[in-house]
């Protein structure tokens, strides 16, 4: 397309003309007169080989570029951010002119084409479209009209911008928003903001940048390795795929010490400085409306030794009052105080629960051996009013599937958990003594330093040797997530 032998008097102009063999569109763009505007985010190099000036005179490149953008506007995941960037740069193309001479766009194509190593369909990033546009652009024997080449280059610029943003955000934040995927989810989760979206326009070396955003977490790398070797089972592939997505979410504790509960594994771990210092079995909520244990993150701030159980209204209505209808001494036998409109009822046996309107009643079970919270509960703020707690019933810990609670998490070794949180000292001694007291009284003991707790849902998890273990999807959340990550990227936000 270029005549390299065109007479150029200065050597540096000859070099510029050679560069422009792969940058036709951007030669034109530099002839557009710039107005006095604030310094743009990206400084563009002016390239003005005389051979193309005659074409520039016939064409308003910025205007044509804007037309291509507006035609593609609705197909982009982040049209506002892309539009804002190019407006600030007077609709001058950036990425193709920067990366085409070094063949970096083929590197980008390779990375996008291998997105399946992350459990992501490469077509989420329009890789086929990018390949076709790159092939067309680099086809030296093509007899297409010059304007068709320009138009392809304009479209390539925008498709690359959109794909780089999506790939960057996918690896750093995940391709879904878990708060939109799950109803019972309340873990604070970082999502892409404007700065993270436009950072791709600052990239100078594609390979260096894409390597830098590859997740480095050991769990992620172990699941990636398992995904790569999985060739037989679609169900295992899908399980690895959705758990890689969960690992990309920015919802992980950053403190040195934290408590991690994995619902499908029915296990609790205390992690300190990257090492598991305590592991124990737990029981979680049944798969039933209002009984599933939620995914959440919070801070354990206190324990209540010999706790009082404020019986939730749903349990009171569905269970407690039913027992009272069968046995009027049920409340006395189980150390349950009855309150009407907040006032203690002195003689609950006199209440006819068969005919009484129960909505004005509330119930509190006092500390003791029959209290389902056992000898201690671990408190943290959350919207679902759940907590970690002891239990007088130990038999469920012998079961492999331990989804038996009303939503709270029952812990197998509560005293060991208290020691892991408080450490050696007078507060732990106080807890130990109070739990052993034959005449228990409820007592709050605050943690000197709050400890994060993260209740998660992973159906694939690697042990310290990198061996991946799989767990039953007890709440059916893998299927919910798989449907979301299988959709085109643009439909997920």
């Amino acid at each position: 397309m270029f005549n390299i032998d065109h007479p150029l008097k200065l050597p540096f102009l000859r070099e510029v003309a050679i560069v422009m063999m792969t940058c036709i569109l951007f030669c034109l763009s530099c002839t557009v007169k710039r107005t006095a505007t604030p310094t743009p985010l990206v400084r563009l190099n002016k390239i003005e080989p005389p051979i193309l000036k005659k074409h520039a005179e016939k064409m308003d490149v910025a205007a044509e570029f804007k037309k291509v953008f507006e035609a593609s506007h609705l197909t982009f995941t982040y049209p506002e951010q892309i539009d804002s960037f190019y407006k600030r740069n007077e609709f001058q193309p950036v990425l193709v002119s920067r990366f085409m001479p070094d063949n970096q766009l083929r590197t980008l194509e390779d990375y996008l084409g291998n997105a399946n190593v992350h459990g992501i369909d490469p077509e989420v990033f329009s890789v086929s479209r990018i390949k076709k546009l790159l092939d067309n652009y680099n086809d030296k024997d093509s007899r297409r009209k010059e304007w068709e080449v320009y138009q392809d280059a304009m479209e390539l610029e925008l498709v690359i911008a959109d794909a780089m943003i999506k790939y960057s955000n996918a690896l750093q934040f995940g391709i879904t928003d878990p708060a939109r995927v799950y109803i019972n989810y309340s873990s604070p989760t970082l999502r892409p903001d404007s700065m993270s979206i436009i950072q791709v326009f600052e990239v100078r070396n594609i390979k260096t940048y894409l390597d830098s955003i590859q997740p480095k977490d050991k769990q992620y790398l172990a699941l990636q390795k398992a995904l790569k070797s999985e060739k037989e089972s679609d169900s295992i592939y899908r399980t690895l795929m959705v758990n890689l997505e969960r690992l990309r979410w920015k919802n992980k504790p950053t403190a040195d010490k934290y408590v991690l509960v994995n619902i499908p594994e029915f296990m609790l771990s205390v992690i300190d400085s990257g090492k598991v210092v305590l592991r124990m079995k737990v029981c979680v909520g049944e798969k039933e409306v209002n009984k599933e244990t939620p995914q959440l993150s919070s801070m354990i701030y206190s324990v209540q030794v010999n706790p009082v159980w404020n019986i939730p209204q749903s349990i009171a209505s569905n269970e407690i009052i039913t027992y009272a209808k069968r046995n009027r001494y049920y409340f006395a036998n189980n150390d349950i105080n009855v309150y009407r409109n907040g006032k203690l009822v002195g003689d609950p046996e006199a209440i006819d629960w068969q005919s009484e309107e129960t909505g004005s009643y509330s119930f509190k079970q006092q500390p003791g051996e029959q209290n389902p919270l056992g000898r201690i509960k671990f408190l943290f703020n959350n919207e679902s009013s759940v907590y970690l707690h002891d239990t007088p019933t130990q038999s469920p810990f012998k079961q492999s599937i331990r989804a038996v609670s009303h939503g709270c998490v029952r812990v197998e070794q509560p005293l060991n958990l208290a020691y892991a949180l408080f450490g050696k000292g007078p507060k732990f001694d106080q807890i130990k003594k109070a739990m052993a007291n034959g005449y228990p009284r409820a007592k709050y003991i605050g943690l000197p330093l709050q400890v994060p707790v993260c209740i998660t849902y992973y159906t694939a998890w690697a042990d310290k040797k990198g061996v991946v273990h799989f767990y039953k999807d007890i709440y059916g959340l893998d299927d919910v997530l798989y449907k979301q990550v299988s959709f085109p990227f643009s439909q997920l936000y």
Side-chain angles (χ1 to χ4, degrees), residues 21-34:
M21 291 181 67
T22 55
C23 303
I24 298 173
L25 169 63
F26 310 101
C27 301
L28 295 175
S29 67
C30 294
T31 64
V32 178
K33 185 176 181 181
R34 297 178 184 271

Side-chain angles (χ1 to χ4, degrees), residues 118 171-172 211-226 243-254 258 260 271 274 458 460-463 466 468:
H118 300 282
L171 263 61
Q172 295 181 93
D211 285 344
S212 74
I213 62 173
Q214 156 73 38
K216 309 299 192 299
D217 177 72
K218 291 181 180 179
Q219 282 295 328
Y220 195 92
L221 297 177
L223 265 59
Q224 264 196 306
K225 183 179 179 180
N243 283 282
L244 281 167
E245 171 67 3
R246 290 179 177 125
L247 287 168
R248 288 189 290 264
W249 293 338
K250 286 284 193 297
N251 60 359
K252 315 300 184 294
T254 57
Y258 61 92
L260 180 69
I271 292 88
Y458 291 101
W461 193 258
D463 61 24
V468 177

Side-chain angles (χ1 to χ4, degrees), residues 99 102-114 134 205-208 210-211:
F99 298 130
D102 296 332
N103 212 29
Q104 290 195 63
L105 294 183
R106 288 299 186 189
T107 300
L108 174 63
E109 179 195 334
D110 289 342
Y111 274 75
L112 300 182
N114 285 295
L134 275 173
N205 185 294
I206 286 181
K207 186 179 188 307
T208 299
L210 297 183
D211 285 344

Side-chain angles (χ1 to χ4, degrees), residues 263 265-267 280-286 372 389-406 408-413:
I263 295 171
E265 188 184 7
F266 307 110
M267 293 295 293
M280 69 182 69
K281 296 177 182 178
V282 297
C283 297
V284 300
E286 297 179 60
H389 66 84
D390 180 25
T391 175
T393 307
Q394 296 295 306
S395 57
F397 291 114
K398 298 177 182 179
Q399 303 172 12
S400 58
I401 303 297
R402 298 187 287 275
V404 296
S405 81
H406 289 86
C408 289
V409 178
R410 305 176 189 173
V411 299
E412 182 186 28
Q413 304 165 25

Side-chain angles (χ1 to χ4, degrees), residues 133-179:
L133 289 168
L134 275 173
D135 289 345
N136 289 345
Y137 192 84
N138 291 321
D139 185 1
K140 301 297 187 294
D141 297 326
S142 174
R143 296 185 178 181
R144 292 180 306 142
K145 295 179 180 178
E146 220 168 63
W147 168 242
E148 293 176 322
V149 178
Y150 301 156
Q151 191 172 37
D152 275 354
M154 293 174 179
E155 183 176 351
L156 179 61
E157 169 78 18
L158 296 174
V159 174
I160 286 172
D162 189 55
M164 284 187 67
I165 291 171
K166 287 192 290 190
Y167 187 84
S168 177
N169 288 342
L171 263 61
Q172 295 181 93
F173 300 93
I175 63 175
T176 57
D177 182 349

